[in-house]
């Protein structure tokens, strides 16, 4: 073990990821029924999104095919039959006005929502970690410059700016990629602030000083010494940021500047469903329910990850249990 690695291992409050630490985190997550339930729900949603073409083939439907004979034109396009046109051929009914199959559009919409949210989160984390480390390890001028930029990004009205940016981009630009860029590049401020604060506290510890005395460059110190210790707060913040990005994508699509028809999207479906909620409540409840369950599952799992990655969480629980048992 090198001098810097020895100093890092002995530094108080610094955790280095490894097989043992990963097993401990998984054990803490398995001890929380809410985390297991949220993980199961998310695994099912991801499976539905990945298997969307297979599920559409099994149902025998196309998410883009119109079925005019399944809607009542005399009533403005309300689906024929009960529960929004549910049948053996259309498992969740059809879309009002167009007759497109609702089940296939929901599972294909899950692809868009999860892809955009995951891509935007990864982009935000990448930019935020880079900016935070540069501010902590760079000169005082660079620190002030990045700090001012971070304050500006945190103060900006993200939704309003996102609407403006997506509205001026040419319509032939891929909308999912555009949403990833817009949401990701507008949401890195929180990650940068967390990484800068953590890196500044770690910079004064012995293992970083040992790495500097060994002649390592700033980039090598950031990659080999700081990043392993920053993994826990970054993963925790990313788990909290992801459901926020799902809502952001749905909001932009709901307002008509996100994913464009005929590409399915939960937010876009909610945008058109607002005129059908009386005639066909299922068309409103289904995408809204999928969106609510996804955001709730990510939020619950993110909170569980935060608790599992916090080495003081187990200590607090043990102390509280011991006090409760002796009282």
């Amino acid at each position: 073990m090198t001098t810097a690695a020895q100093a890092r291992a002995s530094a108080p409050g610094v955790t280095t990821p490894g097989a043992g630490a990963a097993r401990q985190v998984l054990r803490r997550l398995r001890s929380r029924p809410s985390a297991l339930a949220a993980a199961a729900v998310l695994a099912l949603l991801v499976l539905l999104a990945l298997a969307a073409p297979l599920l559409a083939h099994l149902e025998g439907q196309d998410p883009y095919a119109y079925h005019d004979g399944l809607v009542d034109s005399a009533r403005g396009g309300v689906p024929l039959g009960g529960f929004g046109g549910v049948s053996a051929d259309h498992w969740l009914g059809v879309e009002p006005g167009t007759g497109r199959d609702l089940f296939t559009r929901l599972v294909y919409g899950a692809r868009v929502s999860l892809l955009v949210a995951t891509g935007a989160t990864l982009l935000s984390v990448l930019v935020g970690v880079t900016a935070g480390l540069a501010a902590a390890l760079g000169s005082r001028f660079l620190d002030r410059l990045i700090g001012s930029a971070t304050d500006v990004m945190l103060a900006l009205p993200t939704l309003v700016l996102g609407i403006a940016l997506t509205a001026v981009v040419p319509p032939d630009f891929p909308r999912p990629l555009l949403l990833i860029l817009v949401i990701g590049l507008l949401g890195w401020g929180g990650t940068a602030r967390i990484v800068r604060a953590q890196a500044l506290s770690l910079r004064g510890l012995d293992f970083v000083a040992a790495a500097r005395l060994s002649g390592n460059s700033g980039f090598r110190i950031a990659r080999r010494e700081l990043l392993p210790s920053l993994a826990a707060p970054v993963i925790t913040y990313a788990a909290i940021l992801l459901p926020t990005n799902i809502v952001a994508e749905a909001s932009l699509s709901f307002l008509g500047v996100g994913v464009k028809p005929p590409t399915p999207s939960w937010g876009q479906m909610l945008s058109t469903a607002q005129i059908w909620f009386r005639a066909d409540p299922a068309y409103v409840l289904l995408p809204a329910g999928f969106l609510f369950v996804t955001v709730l599952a990510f939020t619950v799992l993110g909170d569980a990850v935060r608790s599992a990655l916090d080495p003081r969480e187990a200590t607090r629980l043990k102390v509280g249990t011991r006090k409760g048992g002796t009282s």
Side-chain angles (χ1 to χ4, degrees):
M1 182 181 294
T2 62
T3 304
Q6 292 173 345
R8 187 197 310 117
S10 60
V14 177
T15 57
T16 303
R23 284 194 296 269
Q24 188 177 19
V25 169
L26 290 176
R27 185 164 58 250
R28 292 175 185 171
L29 287 175
R30 286 197 297 266
S31 66
R32 297 172 65 109
S34 59
L36 294 178
V41 170
L42 292 176
L44 178 60
L45 287 171
V46 171
L47 182 62
L48 287 175
L50 293 177
L54 176 61
L55 293 172
H57 178 73
L58 289 176
E59 192 191 21
Q61 300 297 331
D62 186 333
Y64 306 105
Y66 286 69
H67 303 282
D68 296 333
L70 298 178
V71 295
D72 188 355
S73 58
R75 299 174 57 198
V78 177
L80 297 173
F83 303 101
V86 173
S87 65
D89 295 326
H90 301 278
W91 298 343
L92 294 180
V94 296
E95 190 177 58
T98 64
R100 292 180 294 193
D101 184 72
L102 193 54
F103 173 75
T104 56
R105 292 189 64 78
L106 283 171
V107 293
Y108 272 92
R111 278 187 155 193
V112 173
S113 296
L114 294 176
L115 173 64
V116 170
T118 303
T121 301
L122 292 176
L123 180 59
S124 295
V125 168
L126 178 62
V127 176
V129 169
T130 303
L133 287 175
L137 299 178
S139 63
R140 182 174 299 180
F141 172 76
L142 183 61
D143 185 18
R144 290 179 178 176
L145 180 62
I146 295 178
S148 299
T150 302
D151 293 338
V152 170
M153 296 305 299
L154 291 174
L156 286 174
T158 305
L159 184 59
V160 175
L161 191 58
I163 293 173
L165 292 175
T166 52
V168 299
V169 174
D172 56 344
F173 192 88
R175 304 306 287 190
L177 177 59
L178 175 62
L179 291 175
I180 290 174
L181 293 175
V182 170
I183 298 174
L185 294 177
L186 291 177
W188 58 266
T191 306
R193 177 165 289 182
I194 291 174
V195 169
R196 176 187 176 274
Q198 293 289 328
L200 285 176
S201 65
L202 295 172
R203 191 176 64 176
L205 298 180
D206 292 340
F207 72 92
V208 179
R212 284 181 173 174
L213 291 175
S214 301
N216 293 315
S217 63
F219 175 77
R220 184 178 178 84
I221 291 174
R223 182 172 59 89
R224 297 289 300 274
E225 310 300 336
L226 294 181
L227 279 179
S229 301
L230 292 171
V234 170
I235 292 174
T236 300
Y237 188 76
I240 298 173
L241 184 62
L242 206 152
T244 305
N245 289 338
I246 291 179
V247 175
E249 182 277 326
S251 300
L252 292 173
S253 297
F254 177 83
L255 295 172
V257 293
V259 177
K260 299 293 185 182
T263 304
S265 169
W266 293 344
Q268 177 198 112
M269 294 171 72
L270 286 173
S271 177
T272 58
Q274 59 183 331
I275 63 175
W276 298 101
F277 70 96
R278 292 184 183 274
D280 186 12
Y283 186 48
V284 182
L285 295 176
L286 286 173
F290 269 77
L291 183 62
F292 173 77
V293 169
T294 304
V295 173
L296 179 62
F298 269 117
T299 303
V300 171
L301 186 60
D303 181 70
V305 169
R306 177 192 58 79
S307 300
L309 289 173
D310 186 357
R312 296 166 295 183
E313 184 74 15
T315 304
R316 287 195 292 265
L317 290 175
K318 290 178 180 178
V319 171
T321 304
R322 184 162 54 248
K323 287 182 178 179
T326 57
S327 59

mmCIF file of all heavy atoms in Angstrom, residues 234-263:
data_model
loop_
_atom_site.group_PDB
_atom_site.id
_atom_site.type_symbol
_atom_site.label_atom_id
_atom_site.label_comp_id
_atom_site.label_asym_id
_atom_site.label_seq_id
_atom_site.Cartn_x
_atom_site.Cartn_y
_atom_site.Cartn_z
ATOM 1 N N VAL A 234 -21.825 11.901 -4.293
ATOM 2 C CA VAL A 234 -22.230 12.089 -5.688
ATOM 3 C C VAL A 234 -23.330 11.104 -6.065
ATOM 4 O O VAL A 234 -24.330 11.471 -6.704
ATOM 5 C CB VAL A 234 -21.012 11.945 -6.618
ATOM 6 C CG1 VAL A 234 -21.451 11.880 -8.080
ATOM 7 C CG2 VAL A 234 -20.051 13.115 -6.430
ATOM 8 N N ILE A 235 -23.176 9.834 -5.676
ATOM 9 C CA ILE A 235 -24.210 8.832 -5.974
ATOM 10 C C ILE A 235 -25.516 9.190 -5.272
ATOM 11 O O ILE A 235 -26.605 9.065 -5.837
ATOM 12 C CB ILE A 235 -23.720 7.436 -5.548
ATOM 13 C CG1 ILE A 235 -22.572 6.992 -6.452
ATOM 14 C CG2 ILE A 235 -24.854 6.421 -5.606
ATOM 15 C CD1 ILE A 235 -21.928 5.692 -6.026
ATOM 16 N N THR A 236 -25.404 9.654 -4.037
ATOM 17 C CA THR A 236 -26.607 10.043 -3.292
ATOM 18 C C THR A 236 -27.341 11.179 -3.991
ATOM 19 O O THR A 236 -28.570 11.135 -4.173
ATOM 20 C CB THR A 236 -26.221 10.464 -1.867
ATOM 21 O OG1 THR A 236 -25.585 9.369 -1.218
ATOM 22 C CG2 THR A 236 -27.456 10.867 -1.077
ATOM 23 N N TYR A 237 -26.606 12.207 -4.404
ATOM 24 C CA TYR A 237 -27.251 13.348 -5.056
ATOM 25 C C TYR A 237 -27.813 12.956 -6.419
ATOM 26 O O TYR A 237 -28.886 13.430 -6.813
ATOM 27 C CB TYR A 237 -26.255 14.492 -5.208
ATOM 28 C CG TYR A 237 -26.891 15.766 -5.692
ATOM 29 C CD1 TYR A 237 -27.650 16.554 -4.829
ATOM 30 C CD2 TYR A 237 -26.758 16.183 -7.008
ATOM 31 C CE1 TYR A 237 -28.257 17.718 -5.269
ATOM 32 C CE2 TYR A 237 -27.360 17.346 -7.449
ATOM 33 C CZ TYR A 237 -28.107 18.107 -6.583
ATOM 34 O OH TYR A 237 -28.707 19.260 -7.024
ATOM 35 N N ALA A 238 -27.113 12.074 -7.145
ATOM 36 C CA ALA A 238 -27.621 11.621 -8.442
ATOM 37 C C ALA A 238 -28.925 10.849 -8.283
ATOM 38 O O ALA A 238 -29.840 10.989 -9.099
ATOM 39 C CB ALA A 238 -26.572 10.758 -9.135
ATOM 40 N N ALA A 239 -29.033 10.043 -7.216
ATOM 41 C CA ALA A 239 -30.263 9.292 -6.974
ATOM 42 C C ALA A 239 -31.430 10.221 -6.678
ATOM 43 O O ALA A 239 -32.590 9.908 -6.994
ATOM 44 C CB ALA A 239 -30.060 8.312 -5.817
ATOM 45 N N ILE A 240 -31.148 11.368 -6.066
ATOM 46 C CA ILE A 240 -32.202 12.348 -5.792
ATOM 47 C C ILE A 240 -32.503 13.188 -7.026
ATOM 48 O O ILE A 240 -33.644 13.597 -7.265
ATOM 49 C CB ILE A 240 -31.776 13.243 -4.609
ATOM 50 C CG1 ILE A 240 -31.589 12.392 -3.342
ATOM 51 C CG2 ILE A 240 -32.793 14.341 -4.354
ATOM 52 C CD1 ILE A 240 -31.011 13.159 -2.176
ATOM 53 N N LEU A 241 -31.486 13.433 -7.853
ATOM 54 C CA LEU A 241 -31.651 14.274 -9.041
ATOM 55 C C LEU A 241 -32.439 13.570 -10.137
ATOM 56 O O LEU A 241 -33.156 14.227 -10.904
ATOM 57 C CB LEU A 241 -30.265 14.679 -9.556
ATOM 58 C CG LEU A 241 -30.193 15.648 -10.736
ATOM 59 C CD1 LEU A 241 -30.817 16.990 -10.371
ATOM 60 C CD2 LEU A 241 -28.747 15.840 -11.173
ATOM 61 N N LEU A 242 -32.329 12.254 -10.225
ATOM 62 C CA LEU A 242 -32.952 11.526 -11.331
ATOM 63 C C LEU A 242 -34.469 11.683 -11.381
ATOM 64 O O LEU A 242 -35.019 11.988 -12.448
ATOM 65 C CB LEU A 242 -32.541 10.053 -11.254
ATOM 66 C CG LEU A 242 -32.556 9.292 -12.574
ATOM 67 C CD1 LEU A 242 -31.547 8.154 -12.546
ATOM 68 C CD2 LEU A 242 -33.931 8.730 -12.892
ATOM 69 N N PRO A 243 -35.196 11.494 -10.262
ATOM 70 C CA PRO A 243 -36.654 11.724 -10.351
ATOM 71 C C PRO A 243 -37.014 13.163 -10.691
ATOM 72 O O PRO A 243 -38.036 13.415 -11.343
ATOM 73 C CB PRO A 243 -37.154 11.337 -8.953
ATOM 74 C CG PRO A 243 -35.971 11.366 -8.074
ATOM 75 C CD PRO A 243 -34.812 11.000 -8.938
ATOM 76 N N THR A 244 -36.182 14.115 -10.264
ATOM 77 C CA THR A 244 -36.421 15.513 -10.646
ATOM 78 C C THR A 244 -36.336 15.691 -12.156
ATOM 79 O O THR A 244 -37.133 16.425 -12.761
ATOM 80 C CB THR A 244 -35.408 16.430 -9.947
ATOM 81 O OG1 THR A 244 -35.477 16.215 -8.538
ATOM 82 C CG2 THR A 244 -35.680 17.892 -10.251
ATOM 83 N N ASN A 245 -35.394 15.000 -12.783
ATOM 84 C CA ASN A 245 -35.247 15.096 -14.235
ATOM 85 C C ASN A 245 -36.382 14.401 -14.966
ATOM 86 O O ASN A 245 -36.756 14.809 -16.072
ATOM 87 C CB ASN A 245 -33.897 14.502 -14.649
ATOM 88 C CG ASN A 245 -32.733 15.370 -14.227
ATOM 89 O OD1 ASN A 245 -32.886 16.564 -14.003
ATOM 90 N ND2 ASN A 245 -31.568 14.772 -14.097
ATOM 91 N N ILE A 246 -36.944 13.349 -14.366
ATOM 92 C CA ILE A 246 -38.121 12.716 -14.974
ATOM 93 C C ILE A 246 -39.279 13.705 -15.021
ATOM 94 O O ILE A 246 -39.979 13.836 -16.036
ATOM 95 C CB ILE A 246 -38.504 11.453 -14.188
ATOM 96 C CG1 ILE A 246 -37.459 10.358 -14.372
ATOM 97 C CG2 ILE A 246 -39.873 10.932 -14.629
ATOM 98 C CD1 ILE A 246 -37.759 9.086 -13.606
ATOM 99 N N VAL A 247 -39.481 14.417 -13.920
ATOM 100 C CA VAL A 247 -40.547 15.426 -13.873
ATOM 101 C C VAL A 247 -40.256 16.559 -14.849
ATOM 102 O O VAL A 247 -41.171 17.082 -15.506
ATOM 103 C CB VAL A 247 -40.693 15.955 -12.436
ATOM 104 C CG1 VAL A 247 -41.716 17.083 -12.382
ATOM 105 C CG2 VAL A 247 -41.120 14.833 -11.496
ATOM 106 N N ALA A 248 -38.992 16.947 -14.978
ATOM 107 C CA ALA A 248 -38.635 18.028 -15.905
ATOM 108 C C ALA A 248 -38.945 17.630 -17.343
ATOM 109 O O ALA A 248 -39.498 18.441 -18.115
ATOM 110 C CB ALA A 248 -37.151 18.365 -15.758
ATOM 111 N N GLU A 249 -38.615 16.394 -17.735
ATOM 112 C CA GLU A 249 -38.924 15.936 -19.089
ATOM 113 C C GLU A 249 -40.424 15.909 -19.324
ATOM 114 O O GLU A 249 -40.919 16.356 -20.364
ATOM 115 C CB GLU A 249 -38.330 14.543 -19.312
ATOM 116 C CG GLU A 249 -38.551 13.979 -20.710
ATOM 117 C CD GLU A 249 -39.904 13.315 -20.892
ATOM 118 O OE1 GLU A 249 -40.412 12.707 -19.923
ATOM 119 O OE2 GLU A 249 -40.473 13.418 -22.005
ATOM 120 N N ALA A 250 -41.167 15.391 -18.333
ATOM 121 C CA ALA A 250 -42.625 15.341 -18.476
ATOM 122 C C ALA A 250 -43.224 16.741 -18.553
ATOM 123 O O ALA A 250 -44.170 16.978 -19.321
ATOM 124 C CB ALA A 250 -43.232 14.570 -17.303
ATOM 125 N N SER A 251 -42.658 17.671 -17.783
ATOM 126 C CA SER A 251 -43.176 19.046 -17.799
ATOM 127 C C SER A 251 -42.943 19.700 -19.157
ATOM 128 O O SER A 251 -43.839 20.356 -19.700
ATOM 129 C CB SER A 251 -42.497 19.860 -16.695
ATOM 130 O OG SER A 251 -42.742 19.306 -15.414
ATOM 131 N N LEU A 252 -41.746 19.536 -19.722
ATOM 132 C CA LEU A 252 -41.451 20.139 -21.021
ATOM 133 C C LEU A 252 -42.311 19.517 -22.123
ATOM 134 O O LEU A 252 -42.804 20.223 -23.010
ATOM 135 C CB LEU A 252 -39.965 19.983 -21.344
ATOM 136 C CG LEU A 252 -39.003 20.796 -20.469
ATOM 137 C CD1 LEU A 252 -37.560 20.434 -20.774
ATOM 138 C CD2 LEU A 252 -39.225 22.298 -20.671
ATOM 139 N N SER A 253 -42.499 18.192 -22.063
ATOM 140 C CA SER A 253 -43.363 17.543 -23.060
ATOM 141 C C SER A 253 -44.820 17.947 -22.867
ATOM 142 O O SER A 253 -45.569 18.113 -23.839
ATOM 143 C CB SER A 253 -43.219 16.024 -22.953
ATOM 144 O OG SER A 253 -41.896 15.611 -23.243
ATOM 145 N N PHE A 254 -45.239 18.119 -21.608
ATOM 146 C CA PHE A 254 -46.606 18.556 -21.325
ATOM 147 C C PHE A 254 -46.861 19.947 -21.905
ATOM 148 O O PHE A 254 -47.956 20.232 -22.411
ATOM 149 C CB PHE A 254 -46.838 18.560 -19.820
ATOM 150 C CG PHE A 254 -48.199 19.060 -19.401
ATOM 151 C CD1 PHE A 254 -49.287 18.214 -19.417
ATOM 152 C CD2 PHE A 254 -48.377 20.376 -19.006
ATOM 153 C CE1 PHE A 254 -50.544 18.667 -19.042
ATOM 154 C CE2 PHE A 254 -49.625 20.836 -18.628
ATOM 155 C CZ PHE A 254 -50.712 19.976 -18.649
ATOM 156 N N LEU A 255 -45.844 20.821 -21.844
ATOM 157 C CA LEU A 255 -45.994 22.177 -22.357
ATOM 158 C C LEU A 255 -45.798 22.277 -23.865
ATOM 159 O O LEU A 255 -45.890 23.366 -24.430
ATOM 160 C CB LEU A 255 -44.996 23.101 -21.647
ATOM 161 C CG LEU A 255 -45.239 23.274 -20.137
ATOM 162 C CD1 LEU A 255 -44.092 24.048 -19.495
ATOM 163 C CD2 LEU A 255 -46.555 23.987 -19.884
ATOM 164 N N GLY A 256 -45.500 21.143 -24.501
ATOM 165 C CA GLY A 256 -45.413 21.129 -25.952
ATOM 166 C C GLY A 256 -44.069 21.449 -26.536
ATOM 167 O O GLY A 256 -43.954 21.601 -27.765
ATOM 168 N N VAL A 257 -43.014 21.557 -25.719
ATOM 169 C CA VAL A 257 -41.678 21.869 -26.242
ATOM 170 C C VAL A 257 -40.718 20.701 -26.048
ATOM 171 O O VAL A 257 -39.524 20.836 -26.297
ATOM 172 C CB VAL A 257 -41.104 23.131 -25.552
ATOM 173 C CG1 VAL A 257 -41.906 24.354 -25.929
ATOM 174 C CG2 VAL A 257 -41.062 22.963 -24.036
ATOM 175 N N GLY A 258 -41.230 19.567 -25.588
ATOM 176 C CA GLY A 258 -40.380 18.403 -25.388
ATOM 177 C C GLY A 258 -40.466 17.456 -26.558
ATOM 178 O O GLY A 258 -40.272 17.845 -27.712
ATOM 179 N N VAL A 259 -40.757 16.201 -26.256
ATOM 180 C CA VAL A 259 -40.875 15.189 -27.305
ATOM 181 C C VAL A 259 -42.080 15.495 -28.182
ATOM 182 O O VAL A 259 -43.168 15.783 -27.692
ATOM 183 C CB VAL A 259 -41.009 13.790 -26.672
ATOM 184 C CG1 VAL A 259 -41.207 12.725 -27.748
ATOM 185 C CG2 VAL A 259 -39.774 13.464 -25.840
ATOM 186 N N LYS A 260 -41.876 15.457 -29.486
ATOM 187 C CA LYS A 260 -42.928 15.804 -30.432
ATOM 188 C C LYS A 260 -43.667 14.562 -30.912
ATOM 189 O O LYS A 260 -43.087 13.481 -31.031
ATOM 190 C CB LYS A 260 -42.318 16.528 -31.644
ATOM 191 C CG LYS A 260 -41.618 17.834 -31.296
ATOM 192 C CD LYS A 260 -42.592 18.881 -30.811
ATOM 193 C CE LYS A 260 -41.920 20.227 -30.584
ATOM 194 N NZ LYS A 260 -42.869 21.236 -30.073
ATOM 195 N N PRO A 261 -44.974 14.702 -31.197
ATOM 196 C CA PRO A 261 -45.728 13.592 -31.774
ATOM 197 C C PRO A 261 -45.125 13.199 -33.125
ATOM 198 O O PRO A 261 -44.551 14.050 -33.818
ATOM 199 C CB PRO A 261 -47.143 14.173 -31.939
ATOM 200 C CG PRO A 261 -47.182 15.339 -31.003
ATOM 201 C CD PRO A 261 -45.798 15.883 -30.969
ATOM 202 N N PRO A 262 -45.223 11.929 -33.506
ATOM 203 C CA PRO A 262 -45.992 10.865 -32.841
ATOM 204 C C PRO A 262 -45.187 10.075 -31.801
ATOM 205 O O PRO A 262 -45.681 9.055 -31.326
ATOM 206 C CB PRO A 262 -46.377 9.967 -34.015
ATOM 207 C CG PRO A 262 -45.224 10.070 -34.946
ATOM 208 C CD PRO A 262 -44.734 11.491 -34.834
ATOM 209 N N THR A 263 -43.950 10.497 -31.466
ATOM 210 C CA THR A 263 -43.158 9.771 -30.469
ATOM 211 C C THR A 263 -43.883 9.779 -29.129
ATOM 212 O O THR A 263 -44.255 10.847 -28.638
ATOM 213 C CB THR A 263 -41.774 10.420 -30.319
ATOM 214 O OG1 THR A 263 -41.141 10.464 -31.593
ATOM 215 C CG2 THR A 263 -40.909 9.624 -29.349
#
